[in-house]
Amino acid sequence: MSVYFYGCITLDGYLAAKDHGLDWLHQTGTAEETDCEAFYSRMDVTLMGRRTFREIERLENPAEAYPTTENYVFTHQPLNQPGFTAVSGDPADFVKRLGREKNIWVVGGNTILAPLLDRDLVDHLIIQTAPVLLGEGIPLFTQGEALRRFRLEAVKQYGQFAELVYSRL
């Protein structure tokens, strides 16, 4: 099992705008310009928070977003979207219960990522950076994470996106 964060941030480190919107990302490029499809084909599970899930709900057909993975949304509210399961509790405990044979993608949400980093459960960080400064928004890291070291494995360019691939030491 490996736990991955794979996602895009702005130059100033934000995952989303202050209102949780991703317009800045959609205006910069598309997933087709990256290796997202190849990455996704290796995943068994996706994890996300409710706010990330709201962006998926805005798609024409949300069930097509992640059709081949088990998809879990951390929320205290029921979900009415086929293909997604509502869960609650500690993300680190949940990941440990999933089993060692699964590749897990943390799609979004620093409230999901932070506890996994704190418990040293994140094996890979694949961070794409868009050439955008938001000035404020939702940061990738909560600034409360403990010291963790990663090794730079690769640097790639996809259109306007720079991608840094890190693995846990």
Side-chain angles (χ1 to χ4, degrees), residues 73-76 86-95 97 111-112 115:
V73 179
F74 281 84
T75 181
H76 297 288
V87 295
S88 60
D90 181 359
D93 291 338
F94 183 80
V95 164
R97 286 191 307 268
T111 57
I112 307 301

Side-chain angles (χ1 to χ4, degrees), residues 109-115 117-118 139-146:
N110 61 19
T111 57
I112 307 301
L113 184 59
L117 285 167
D118 288 344
L140 173 58
F141 300 109
T142 64
Q143 307 305 309
E145 291 86 4

Side-chain angles (χ1 to χ4, degrees), residues 2-102:
S2 287
V3 176
Y4 295 80
F5 170 81
Y6 178 96
C8 190
I9 60 171
T10 62
L11 283 172
D12 46 357
Y14 296 111
L15 276 171
K18 192 174 182 179
D19 66 355
H20 300 277
L22 296 174
D23 289 344
W24 63 270
L25 176 60
H26 302 302
Q27 294 165 358
T28 304
T30 65
E32 289 77 25
E33 295 176 65
T34 68
D35 70 347
C36 186
E37 190 174 309
F39 170 81
Y40 178 70
S41 70
R42 297 187 312 268
M43 295 299 110
D44 302 299
V45 173
T46 68
L47 301 180
M48 66 194 78
R50 179 67 185 196
R51 291 183 181 125
T52 300
F53 179 68
R54 282 188 195 136
E55 285 298 310
I56 293 168
E57 284 183 305
R58 293 175 49 190
L59 299 173
E60 186 175 319
N61 188 352
E64 290 180 0
Y66 305 110
T68 63
T69 48
E70 300 169 33
N71 306 299
Y72 298 100
V73 179
F74 281 84
T75 181
H76 297 288
Q77 302 170 2
L79 300 177
N80 295 321
Q81 187 58 247
F84 294 88
T85 303
V87 295
S88 60
D90 181 359
D93 291 338
F94 183 80
V95 164
K96 286 180 177 181
R97 286 191 307 268
L98 285 174
R100 300 290 307 164
E101 68 284 349
K102 307 254 182 179

